[in-house]
Amino acid sequence: MSAEDLENYETDMELALYREYRDVVSLFSYVVETERRFYLANQVDLQVRSAAGEVYFELTLADAWVWDVYRTARFVKSVRVVTFKDVNVEELARPELSI
């Protein structure tokens, strides 16, 4: 496989992932960003913890979708993330009436 073939394959995979995201985003209530991953979820529990003088975040997601081009199963029942980096949780806007 040439470098160009590999690049085209990765581009196609990323486009397919974006299309999947576009199709499923309306099923979820929250967007969650961590340093390593991007998630969609319907339940989010974010706890700030400390140990040995260090602050970290413990994040538990339920009914989630994981943005990861290399994952074969992106829908997961439960996710637990522990990170020392920033976490962004955003509630998605819900239109009152979809036509």
Side-chain angles (χ1 to χ4, degrees):
M1 178 181 275
S2 71
E4 184 178 336
D5 290 339
L6 182 58
E7 186 174 322
N8 288 339
Y9 173 77
E10 288 177 347
T11 301
D12 290 344
M13 293 292 291
E14 288 174 6
L15 182 57
L17 182 61
Y18 170 76
R19 287 180 176 149
E20 182 178 327
Y21 165 81
R22 185 189 60 202
D23 292 342
V24 303
V25 69
S26 64
L27 302 173
F28 296 94
S29 299
Y30 299 94
V31 173
V32 179
E33 293 177 86
T34 68
E35 177 190 13
R36 298 188 64 200
R37 295 278 191 277
F38 178 88
Y39 304 90
L40 298 172
N42 282 321
Q43 292 180 344
V44 176
D45 180 35
L46 177 62
Q47 300 293 318
V48 179
R49 309 272 192 215
S50 64
E54 296 287 333
V55 174
Y56 66 96
F57 303 97
E58 185 173 346
L59 183 63
T60 304
L61 310 175
D63 186 24
W65 181 88
V66 184
W67 179 288
D68 187 341
V69 73
Y70 300 107
R71 264 182 98 91
T72 56
R74 284 185 271 279
F75 287 96
V76 291
K77 183 177 178 179
S78 176
V79 176
R80 181 173 172 259
V81 177
V82 176
T83 181
F84 288 93
K85 304 291 183 176
D86 290 342
V87 175
N88 183 43
V89 178
E90 179 181 334
E91 186 171 5
L92 293 168
R94 293 280 183 201
E96 293 299 320
L97 179 64
S98 296
I99 299 179

